[in-house]
Amino acid sequence: MAQTHLLLTLSQALTAICLDFRGYEPQTMLFCEVLRALGAPGVTYRREPGKAGLWLSYGNQGKMRWLEGEALVDFMCRQIENANLDPEHLSLICRMVFQTPCRVDRHPDTGQPGIVVQTDMAAFQCRQCGQCCRRLDYRDGMTEADVERLKKMGRNDILAWVRTTRTIRGDIAHRIWVIPGTNEFAPTCPFLKKGVSPQRWICSIHEVKPDICRHYPVSRKHALMTGCPGFDINAPRQPAPLGNPPNK
Ligand code: SF4
Ligand code: SF4
């Protein structure tokens, strides 16, 4: 059964917020809402509709300056990390960022406060449209664990399409899907096959596909932001249950 809730430690919640910020183009409307909710002293901000940046003034800097791209996301992550948020306040920010009900609860084992995030994945159903396989940039998405697993299974047919290299920062990356014997990415995943009807697609390595494919989408927001039609937008949402232990 699909996992319906996640219990994050406070530190994991902060990390998840920054991962969300880094996962998409700068979400300037959301950033303004978050700054308002943080009530950050000395920070003023202004959006320019249609532009992927913000005018900001902070610290000792009186004049507003334009921030966009990575610099803007770094700024937002610093604001969140330095805000010293209490659990209730953090839960409110999580609700805004993840666009789903969130609440504070205590971890059943440690007794420490954490944030319960409703994933809504019970309402997800893959439509086999193949959009994710054809459009998303999985590129460096295969993990070391995926590679080890496939090696153990002797799946050289899959590994032939994986090119292990180093990134500019020197980290190991397992690139997918690279045409064997070349440095060129395949135009589309070689394991995506036509389904029973013209609009349907299937993954021919479904049982062993990389985790990045297996875990897509991770939430309703992730689906909406990346064009996945797997959630029925008309279906009523279940409120996050109060007082029940979350599914783990
Ligand atoms: S985009 Fe969503 S609905 Fe379409 S194949 Fe991918 S997971 Fe399934
Ligand atoms: S391995 Fe399967 S799920 Fe992943 S991109 Fe290819 S067809 Fe899609």
Side-chain angles (χ1 to χ4, degrees):
M1 193 176 156
Q3 188 178 41
T4 56
H5 297 82
L6 285 174
L7 174 57
L8 303 176
T9 65
L10 302 184
S11 150
Q12 285 171 334
L14 288 172
T15 303
I17 289 171
C18 286
L19 279 174
D20 181 284
F21 287 174
R22 295 187 192 287
Y24 312 110
E25 288 294 302
Q27 305 165 70
T28 53
M29 202 177 296
L30 170 67
F31 290 174
C32 289
E33 285 170 17
V34 169
L35 288 171
R36 195 174 311 124
L38 290 177
V43 177
T44 49
Y45 50 90
R46 183 160 51 83
R47 273 180 74 227
E48 282 214 21
K51 294 204 176 165
L54 289 180
W55 288 104
L56 283 155
S57 145
Y58 48 92
N60 297 327
Q61 175 199 321
K63 211 170 141 197
M64 287 193 130
R65 84 184 249 241
W66 180 251
L67 277 191
E68 60 185 13
E70 218 171 303
L72 176 57
V73 170
D74 284 345
F75 170 82
M76 288 303 303
C77 289
R78 278 199 308 278
Q79 292 297 312
I80 292 280
E81 284 158 1
N82 297 337
N84 206 11
L85 297 169
D86 62 56
E88 287 296 344
H89 206 160
L90 183 57
S91 160
L92 174 76
I93 304 283
C94 284
R95 176 184 279 262
M96 286 177 173
V97 173
F98 305 134
Q99 296 176 6
T100 193
C102 299
R103 62 179 168 82
V104 178
D105 204 348
R106 292 197 174 267
H107 194 285
D109 300 332
T110 65
Q112 294 296 313
I115 311 291
V116 178
V117 180
Q118 181 175 308
T119 64
D120 259 355
M121 289 311 290
F124 172 76
Q125 190 179 4
C126 179
R127 316 270 173 206
Q128 295 184 318
C129 67
Q131 194 277 147
C132 50
C133 308
R134 285 177 289 132
R135 303 271 158 75
L136 294 186
D137 183 359
Y138 286 152
R139 304 258 154 142
D140 289 354
M142 189 173 261
T143 64
E144 190 69 36
D146 286 322
V147 171
E148 286 307 314
R149 180 166 53 84
L150 291 168
K151 276 185 186 164
K152 276 195 193 131
M153 299 173 94
R155 292 304 301 259
N156 294 332
D157 57 323
I158 301 174
L159 291 168
W161 293 82
V162 181
R163 184 171 158 74
T164 299
T165 182
R166 284 198 181 267
T167 64
I168 296 172
R169 287 170 38 195
D171 302 327
I172 288 184
H174 301 291
R175 302 239 145 104
I176 56 176
W177 300 104
V178 178
I179 299 169
T182 76
N183 281 328
E184 274 177 49
F185 284 107
T188 189
C189 173
F191 306 106
L192 182 66
K193 305 291 178 206
K194 283 263 185 202
V196 286
S197 68
Q199 291 82 24
R200 293 212 165 190
W201 297 79
I202 53 168
C203 173
S204 59
I205 57 167
H206 178 69
E207 300 304 324
V208 295
K209 64 189 179 184
D211 277 351
I212 194 166
C213 303
R214 191 168 306 287
H215 296 147
Y216 176 84
V218 295
S219 66
R220 183 186 287 262
K221 175 177 175 181
H222 190 205
L224 290 176
M225 296 286 278
T226 52
C228 164
F231 284 92
D232 178 356
I233 54 171
N234 298 316
R237 298 178 104 178
Q238 298 297 317
L242 288 168
N244 296 329
N247 298 343
K248 289 196 297 169

